[in-house]
Structure formats: structure tokens, C-alpha cells
Amino acid sequence: MWQSSPPGSIYDYIRVASFSIGPDGLIEQWSRRAAGLFGVAAHQAVGKDPVEAFLPGEMRREGRRRIGEVLDGKEWTGLVPFRMPGEDGVHGLAEIYVMPSETATGERAAVCIVVDVRALRRIETDLAASQAIFGQSPFGFVLFGTDLTVVRANERFATVFGGRPDDHRGRTVGDYLAGAEADRLTATLERVLETGNSVTDLQLVGMAPGDTERRHWSMNLYRVHSGSGRPTGIAGLATDVTRRHTAAREAASARRNLALLNEASARIGNSLDLETTARELLDVAVPVFCDLASVDLYQALLTGDEAAPGSWSPLAGEAIGGSAELRRVAFASAVSDALPAPAASDSGPPGAAAGPPALGAVHRYPSGSPCAVALRTGRVADVPGDDRGFVQSTLAVPMVAHDTVVGLVRFSRTKGSEPFDDRDRALATELAARAAVCIDNARLYRREHERALILQRSLLPPGDPEAAGLDIACRYLPGNTATEVGGDWFDVIELPGHRTALVVGDVMGRGLRAAVAMGELRTAVRTLALLDLEPAEVLSALDEVARGLGTPGAASSSGGGGAQWPARAAHKSREADLSEVYLATCVYAVYDPVTRRCTFANAGHLPPVVVEPGEAALLLDVPPGMPLGVGGEPFEEVEVELKEGALLALYTDGLVESRDHPLDEGLAALRDALVEPARPLEDVCDRVLTSLDTRHGEDDIALLMARIQGLPTEAVGDWRLPRELRSVGRARELARDQLTAWGLEELVDTTELLVSELVTNALRYGEGEIRLRLLRDRTLVCEVWDAGLVQPRRRRARDTDEGGRGLQLVGLLSAAWGARRTPRGKTVWFELPLPDGRPAAERSVEELLSMF
């Protein structure tokens, strides 16, 4: 079979040439290869003596002898130096094979085969170098043919994939790689063979024979050519980069973990809500760290049980050994077919469920289960995969804060993800610990928040305040949103005679300390108000209370000898340095619904606002005085008569003052917000708060509004009685007639008796004209006025005394009684509840005998 050799054969490299010598010893034929080798064209060489043409002068004699031998029929092979025609020096060395031949006439001739020795030496050197590189390379070297089968592989390649280098001849990519990796390498080989573009650092993943570990290789591919430039295959250099890949993966994992921890620091704990904090943890972990995650918190923690911390501590042993109730408060999934249901209600008794607990469900982990062990020991536990094979790796991580276990977080990875390693366990522990601290802080905040709310509610009037002759609405907005308590307060205090004290104050400062000081001042105001002092006197006494709030040891005795004075003075000086000054502003007003007069006293507070029907809002000109706690300055009173339907507003500076605008603008805005005083009072309050730029959060806001509704004339009975004995009977008669007119016949007997006692005391111990007044509102109030300054005093009469039991009788039969000073004397009063249709309670014998 004849077949043409393709270009690029060995002859292209070794440069074989030929020529012939005739019987006359001259060149007879000259091949093209000879012309290329010697650089002499055929017309220049034919007919010439080869000895004279190509050999140096000193070798010509030997050359002629050799030519003679050849023409005599002797073969010869040897190395012959040659020079180019027209050149003086020797230019090369040729290996010549001379074979005797005969012409057609039988004459002796010769055929010469010439090989350039320099080309042979280059080939030998290249082959030796190629063999050294290919065979001694520490990297896997493989040569693919144009049909993508292995043509040659080196020893290193055979060491990795087994066998001898020759055993790999004819193998394909599929014999080394599987699936997608084999297809990817095949496509790359085809592209390199077609385009000639080399490929560097092609990453391949596979497994060596007998090895269970996945290996990573980096492969460089380039197309190889023959001497004529024809593509003959693809060379590949493979390097095992498993360690580098592992190190890079670990470095990437470390960077990811650091980034995850940094993100956790920024995103977890932004809310002081337990459930929100748990969800923030899962938002960070899924899907970056795991595919599924859930958070279970102890039920006692969520319900605020004060005894709960002992049941969560690892030191409590069996108390948390899987029997404690937990609630699933958060769940997150990065896969569509997550196991738990999205939500569920707490139906039925808590217990071990057949499937994963639903969101919001209360459950228990069985004793001895990995989750129960993690809760009991406070250490991470591995949880086996689920029955469906959906989850391959789960970590049960206890949430520990301050040596207290508050719950459990489960991190899960599904099939196809890498299982958790030691680094992941450490990261999971850190994530859970950070969330646990935030959750514990949220628990403490919730507890303190509830306590603060209890404190705040105890310091403010309960419910909707009511007062005779007033329609009242109030608002309180704390500036400290963390505790919802502050130093502002308001109060509505019922006084004798259906009068009402309206109080608004502001302790300088914020938070619980200001709230505690406010509570003390509010209590003091109520105590002073019950003494029925004038507004200026109340503020003066309150100023003394405020000055003693911040002094340590203020209640301690000051006795001691003179010798101890220096030490005691030094001690007081140190206490003064440690003391805290409490300053407060307050406005105190007393409203009388009979006269519709309101008496104001101000201690450094903002002026009240009054809006009369049909008029613009007006700031009352009440002397501000000094704040409480400063001392040394008296307080002034201002009495104002208010019209029926007028609106009175008392407030703190948080309503009208802000860093963004001056106080005058805030006061003007408040007056503008009170343009519709006839609207329902609750709506007026809401309008004020919504229309003013209160900047809620900068300062506390207290707002107390009252609409004037004086007692009607028919609800008041007022008489003046001369200072004579018959005035007692007249007083009983007037009281009886007035009660009958009011339809209060059930109170006639009691009222007559008590009026008789008070008028008799006024005649006996008082001075001047006597005034009797009956007031009917929610209760019946009777007042007896006289000009005497001596206050009545209740005492226990002896068995032999004929008198002294009048005030005891008043105290026994009335709901309340008392006495107060007036500018022109004193007033003694008692109060009776209005009948509600039920029979009046009869006094027991013991109660009656208590007067004797």
C-alpha cells in the first residue's frame, strides 16, 4: 500500500541530501537538498571536482585518495568537514555515506548520501532535553493526540493515576475524571486544538484511584506542532493544588466567619425584643452559614417569671434536663421544602412532638436527646440527620449568657452542602453567645421596663381624673423611651368644698432618678394639699422638701457635743460634695367651682394658658418665682375668675421648647393650637400634641387641660347667721329645707345633727359672723365659716364630761371632715355621700360607744 508521509517527518529535521560522482571523479548529479545544505546551486556544482570545491586545501590529498577508492568499488562512511564555495573557512561537518555504482556503459561511479551533523546533534540534544523534562518533571505531564487520546504520560502522572507511563497510552479523559469535569476538560481540549489558544490554571476536581479524598488540580494546556507547523496534539501540565485549595478555602472560611461575626455585631441586638433578636440571629446565619435554623427560648423567660434564671442555669442540673418547656420563637430556611410548618398555636399540653415544633409552639426535648444534653451541659451537640435524608448535618448550640442558658439554636445544612467542621462549631457557638447576651439584655430590659411602667403608673393619677365643676383631660409622654419614665408629672387633687387642686411639675433631669424625685415631690404635694394650705404655702413647703432630696443623711439627727463639731462639719462637707441637687418647677392651682375662681402659685414654671369663649388664647401673668430646691424666695399668688366654658391648660416645657426653635415660638404655636376650645377636650389634647413640633424623645411632656364648668346656682345653698344661740336652730331649718328641695330627704336627719354640732362649736369657740354653705355635686358638702383662728381639735371625752363629743360624732357619721384656714378665719366642713337607693348602714354599738 502506497501512502505519502505527512509533512513534518524525521527527514524534515535531519536534512538528508544526495549527489553522485561520475567515472571522471566530477559531480554528475546535485539534489535540491544538497543545494540547500551546502548553499550551492546545481549549475554551480555539476561538473566540478568535489574535493576542490568543498574540502579545505590540507584535506584535498586525502580526499582524492578516498574518491579513488570509491571509484574502485569500495564503500566509505565518515565525517567530512566542508566549506561553502567562495568562503575561506570551514563552515560545517557532514556525515557522508558513499556507495559505489556503475553507469550504463559499465564504468565505475558513486552515489553519496549526506547528513548535516549539526542538525543531528541538535536533534539529539533536543531529544535528551525533552526526555529529561518530560521524564524527570515533578509535575504530571501528558500529551494528547489529535484524537484526544493519551499519546504519552510521564512518571509523575502515572504515580498519581497508577500503572506505568506506557499503560496510559490510548486512554481518554473519561478514564481519569467523571461526569461534568470530564466533559469540561474534553471541551477545553477541543477548543485548544481548534484555536491554538493556550489555557492556564484550569481547575479540575476528581479522585485518584484508591483515594477517598477529593483532589484539586490546576492544568495548563497548549497545542504542539511538527517542524512544518502542523498541529500534532495537545500538551498538558497538571499540578496538584489540593493543599493550596484547602488553604484558600480555610482562608475564605476565616474571612467569611469574620465577616459573619462583624455582621452579627451590627445586626443582632438592635431591638430590645426577645423574638426580634432571635429573628435577627437567623437573618445573619441563613443562608450564609447554614440552610435551616431555629431558635427555642425557655417559656419561663418569655413569660417573665422572676424565678426563671435558676431553672436555666447549667448548675441547676435536672431542672433543665430536657423537661423544661421551650417555645419556638424563630425559624428560617433557605430551601423551599423546609421541614417545620410556618406557624402553629399552643394547643394541647406541651410535650415531645412527632415532628419538628412549629413556629410559636411550646414543646420539650426528650431527656437524653442531643438537644436536651446541649441544654443541660451548655455545650454544642451534634444532631443526627432526619429520616428523609433531607438534612445531613445539624448543630444544637445552647445560648449561654452570663453562665445562664436562655435557649437553644439549631443550625442545619442540607444534602449537597459541606458538613459542619470544628471551625463551624466555634463560629456557631460565638453566634449563639452573642445572641444570648442580647436576649438576656432584652429580658432584663423587659423586666426593668415593666417595673418602670408600674412606677410610672403609680406616680400618675389613676384612670381619668374627675373634679367638681371641671371637665379634665391629660396626656403624658416620656422622653426616655427606654424606661418610659421621666421627671414630669401632673396631678388632680380633690379638696374640701368640692374644690380641686391642679398640679403640673417638672424635675430637671431624665430617667429613673428624676422619676423617683418626682414621685417624692408628688407625694409631698398631695400631703400638703390635704392640709388645705394656700397655694403659696404649698410651694414654700415643697421647696423645703426639694432641697432635702439630694442630701445624703438628711434625715439623720444633728445632736452631739461641741467637741464633735469639727468632725461632724467635715463629714457634712463630704456629704455635700457627694450630694445631688434636685431642682424642679411647679405650678399649683386651686379651683373653686362655686365662685369659678382659680388661685395660682408658680415656682419657676411656664405660665398657664387660658382660652375663654370667643377669645384668643392668653398666657396668664402669674409671677414665676424661683424653682423648687433653690430656696430663699417667697412665692406669690394670683387669683383669677374664669368664665363658664373657659379652657385652662397646664403643661411642661417639653411641649413648647426644643433645640430647633426658641421658647416664644413654641408658646405661640400652643396658643394657635387652642383655637377651637369648644371641641371635646380629648380632641383638643390630641390636636395640641399632633400640631406642635414636640420632638418626642428630647424631653418629657405633661399636659393637663380643664374646661370650667362651675356649680350651678341651684346646687349651692349659702347663708349668713348672726352670732346668737337661735342660729343653731335656724341652721338646722335651712339645711332641712335645702335638702328637701334637692330631694335628699334621706340625709336630712344626719345633716341636721352635724350642722347643729358645727354651728354650736362656732358659737362657742369662734368669733364673728357665722356662714353656712351646702354644696351638692357628686357628694354633699357642708361648710361652717367663722372669723376665729383656733382650729377645732378632736379629743376623747371622759365618762364624766357632759360635752366634747361633737367632733367625734361628726367623724363617725360623715364620710370625711376637716378644717382649713381662710383669709378671715377658718372653715369646718364635713362630707356625706349621696344616697344610691340602698339602705344606709346602721352604726354598731361599738362605734357608738367609742365616743364615750
Side-chain angles (χ1 to χ4, degrees), residues 128-141 152 154-156:
S130 175
Q131 182 62 30
I133 293 174
F134 195 85
Q136 301 174 20
S137 172
F139 308 110
F141 204 100
R152 186 177 180 186
N154 69 347
E155 190 68 33
R156 178 59 182 169

Side-chain angles (χ1 to χ4, degrees), residues 197-346:
N197 297 328
S198 61
V199 174
T200 59
D201 197 21
L202 175 65
Q203 296 294 317
L204 299 172
V205 180
M207 296 180 64
D211 196 351
T212 58
E213 180 184 1
R214 297 176 67 185
R215 309 294 294 272
H216 295 262
W217 294 285
S218 173
M219 198 164 192
N220 299 326
L221 300 172
Y222 58 93
R223 189 173 70 181
V224 293
H225 308 82
S226 66
S228 63
R230 180 182 61 87
T232 59
I234 303 168
L237 182 65
T239 305
D240 192 336
V241 293
T242 303
R243 292 184 179 180
R244 187 177 71 185
H245 181 82
T246 302
R249 184 179 60 185
E250 291 180 353
S253 177
R255 289 193 298 269
R256 182 202 65 185
N257 293 351
L258 289 176
L260 194 62
L261 290 176
N262 183 60
E263 184 180 8
S265 300
R267 296 180 58 182
I268 299 176
N270 293 322
S271 169
L272 288 175
D273 179 75
L274 296 173
E275 291 82 357
T276 302
T277 302
R279 288 194 295 270
E280 290 171 346
L281 168 62
L282 301 193
D283 290 341
V284 171
V286 179
V288 178
F289 179 68
C290 62
D291 302 316
L292 301 170
S294 61
V295 176
D296 299 323
L297 298 180
Y298 279 109
Q299 178 71 355
L301 179 147
L302 296 169
T303 57
D305 187 358
E306 289 294 334
S311 65
W312 310 326
S313 172
L315 302 178
E318 188 58 32
I320 64 167
S323 60
E325 294 181 357
L326 300 103
R327 182 190 301 174
R328 179 143 297 179
V329 297
F331 173 77
S333 171
V335 293
S336 58
D337 52 348
L339 297 178
S345 60
D346 298 345

Side-chain angles (χ1 to χ4, degrees), residues 80-99:
V80 179
F82 65 90
R83 63 178 177 84
M84 303 298 294
E87 298 290 341
D88 297 333
V90 177
H91 290 273
L93 184 67
E95 184 177 42
I96 300 179
Y97 177 39
V98 181
M99 296 177 289

Side-chain angles (χ1 to χ4, degrees), residues 735-736 739-740 744-753:
R736 180 173 59 253
L739 292 180
T740 302
L744 300 177
E745 290 82 358
E746 297 181 24
L747 302 180
V748 169
D749 293 339
T750 302
T751 304
E752 282 189 13
L753 177 59

